[in-house]
Each structure stands twice: as structure tokens, then as C-alpha cells.
Amino acid sequence: MEYLLEKKNLQKYINAQMSLPCRTGDFNLPKQFDDMRPWIESGKMIDYQDHHYPSTMGCDAIVQSYLLKGDKKAFLAKWDKDWKRYNRDIIRKVQEYNKTHQS
């Protein structure tokens, strides 16, 4: 991990994958992000939503169960229950943020 997080190595990855860096720093971003640069530099970005589903949640099994059984109500109930269970820290952070940033 240390190797991948070294600035020169991370820049190579950014260039090869046309991606955003996973850490702060002075990186050269691909041109495709030019229109987003003001948002990126001001910190007005959020992570991809699929990153908020821990592998331990077993999303693949939940979706597969829905596809096999077709029970939408059961799928949504299980998804909501498990998401809350596996994302308690994120939920707490959002609640704390909302308390301090309400207008």
C-alpha cells in the first residue's frame, strides 16, 4: 500500500486509469475532470455509492435472492436492515454532519 500511495506511483495510476486520486495532494488530473475541478478543489465531492456497501453485507447474495424469488418487499426489507447494520458508522457521521451544518 505504501508503494501505491507514493505520489509518483499514484500519479502513474491516475494517468493509466483516468481516475481521481485516493488521497489529497497536488496531482495532475485527466482532462476529463476539468469541468469538475472547482468542485474537487473545494471538497464538494462524495464517494461513489457502491463504496458504501461493505463486502461483509453480502450484497451479491441479497440481489441474487431477489432475482431468484422476485419478492421485492422482502428484498427491500432485507437490504434496508442489513445496510443500516453494516453502515452504522457512516449513518452516525451523516447525522453529526447534519447537526452542525443545518441552516
Side-chain angles (χ1 to χ4, degrees):
M1 288 302 292
E2 290 177 20
Y3 172 83
L4 292 174
L5 290 174
E6 287 179 20
K7 184 176 179 182
K8 66 180 182 177
N9 298 326
L10 184 52
Q11 186 64 60
K12 287 179 187 177
Y13 180 84
I14 291 166
N15 297 344
Q17 298 296 313
M18 303 290 287
S19 66
L20 294 172
C22 59
R23 58 175 275 202
T24 57
D26 186 26
F27 294 98
N28 296 318
L29 301 180
K31 291 194 178 290
Q32 69 191 38
F33 296 112
D34 284 351
D35 291 344
M36 296 172 55
R37 190 173 298 278
W39 293 91
I40 294 167
E41 291 172 354
S42 69
K44 295 182 178 178
M45 294 203 42
I46 59 172
D47 202 356
Y48 295 104
Q49 293 304 308
D50 65 340
H51 295 175
H52 296 286
Y53 304 119
S55 60
T56 53
M57 185 174 152
C59 297
D60 53 345
I62 298 170
V63 171
Q64 187 67 33
S65 178
Y66 168 66
L67 294 173
L68 291 171
K69 296 178 182 175
D71 188 342
K72 186 164 126 180
K73 189 174 182 177
F75 164 74
L76 292 173
K78 172 102 173 112
W79 189 272
D80 288 344
K81 178 183 170 193
D82 286 1
W83 193 92
K84 288 176 188 174
R85 176 179 172 207
Y86 288 99
N87 289 283
R88 286 181 284 215
D89 291 339
I90 292 171
I91 293 168
R92 181 184 43 75
K93 288 177 185 177
V94 169
Q95 289 169 338
E96 289 172 2
Y97 177 87
N98 286 339
K99 283 181 187 176
T100 59
H101 292 86
Q102 290 179 344
S103 16

